[in-house]
Amino acid sequence: MITNKMINTNNLLRILSLFITFVCTTAVIAQEKSKDTITVYKKKVLESTEVDLLMSYYTQDGDNAAVTGGIGTEELTDLTPTIVVSIPLNDDDVLTIDASVSAYTSASSSNVNPFDGEGVADPFVASSGASQEDVLTTLATSYSHSSDDRNDIWSVNAAIASEYDYFSIGFGGGYTKLFNEKNTEISVKGNVFLDTWNAIYPSELRDQPSFIPFEDESRNSYSLGLGFSQILSEKLQGSLALDIIHQEGLLSTPFQRVQFADVTDFNIPGQPFVYGDDIERLPETRFKIAAGGRLHYYINEIFVIRTFYRYYTDNWGINSHTASIEVPVKITDQFTIYPSYRYYQQTAADYFAPFNEHLSTQKFYTSDYDLSDFDAHQYGFGISYTDILTKFHIWKFRFKSVDLRFNQYERSTGLTASIVSGGLSFVVE
């Protein structure tokens, strides 16, 4: 006999079954919609096109010009305007174009031919010839693609650079992986640069029968970089980097002179300029390794400490240490100042000797003080303003930030340099 209780139980089971089916179906549909929503509405890597207008002015002076064999003026000025445009191609892909023009005037390079001016030939006085100035033009572009979950980033890049006696083309790529809820990051990158010199030699050596010019004027550079970054705590972040570089080809600078101690000096009476006995000659291969790390510590809403250290070594005998610290201080929500200090120390290359101390029996030699034993200090200060809401407009450009920095560089060899740099950032509507 079927009772009302049994009927009610069956109905209850049927209703419960239908409810469970409904819930499961709804969950599946919701999950699929959720996946679709993630695909359709995922956050763009770059929301809008951004434009950075950069400018730097560099000036230096010293008394150890490599062009004149390790003595003479190192006076140089350089002005470099740069524009960087980052364009979002879609949600995942960004194209960046970087163009710059470096216009410099160099008292030392003017003495490649110290006799083409109107005054006396003097290593401490710039010749008025055309070689005192030049322009380096550089164009670089990069393309990056990010995965849907933003944990994988692939990139490729290419660059071209040209000036009067030099041409370079470069290309490369990289891969970055984020995991551990984006608290850990590893990266690898590689680049190749293919350079060609249009060798210009010191004027007094060009017509000497004993002078031997370089047969191969090309130089190739291959680099591999490995990176690791880790968020160690809420306030501490660290990173490690390893760079390996191999170079081959013409690694000497063709217009840099060398004078030999065992060869009699020669100069025109009344003109203090000493003729070069030969040009700088260095090995045709060089292997470099640099390893370093960074630690950034967030003290509070006002202070952050950024530290950096790098060790460098190569098979030319140079070993160096670099250490720096920067302490950004947030004055207001918009203004931040950046005091900084950098220390650098290196040993001399095996092939370096000062003016008139090399011997003609040596195979390799240079009097370039960039390859000498020295230490250097750099003091810096910067200030930046950020328009958080990008309220200020100029036509279709929304102002994002402005940055201005000054650095003073002092080397134990007597070289001093100053650089003023600044930048404006805009978001294009």
Side-chain angles (χ1 to χ4, degrees), residues 13 69 287:
L13 291 173
F287 185 73

Side-chain angles (χ1 to χ4, degrees), residues 388-405:
I388 301 174
L389 302 177
T390 60
K391 294 179 179 179
F392 182 71
H393 286 233
I394 300 178
W395 190 47
K396 293 185 178 182
F397 295 87
R398 289 185 290 135
F399 176 74
K400 183 179 178 182
S401 65
V402 59
D403 185 84
L404 182 64
R405 292 175 182 256

Side-chain angles (χ1 to χ4, degrees), residues 291-305:
R294 298 179 183 272
L295 275 178
H296 294 175
Y297 184 73
Y298 174 86
I299 299 176
N300 52 40
E301 293 183 355
I302 298 177
F303 297 100
V304 177
I305 297 178

Side-chain angles (χ1 to χ4, degrees), residues 2-21:
I2 300 176
T3 65
N4 289 335
K5 186 177 181 180
M6 293 176 64
I7 293 174
N8 291 338
T9 302
N10 289 336
N11 288 338
L12 182 59
L13 291 173
R14 188 180 296 112
I15 293 171
L16 183 59
S17 177
L18 290 172
F19 179 77
I20 293 173
T21 302

Side-chain angles (χ1 to χ4, degrees), residues 187-209:
S187 63
V188 58
K189 61 181 179 179
N191 284 287
V192 176
F193 291 95
L194 308 176
D195 308 333
T196 302
W197 289 90
N198 178 19
I200 298 174
Y201 301 104
S203 57
E204 71 274 20
L205 297 177
R206 297 171 191 171
D207 298 324
Q208 288 189 13

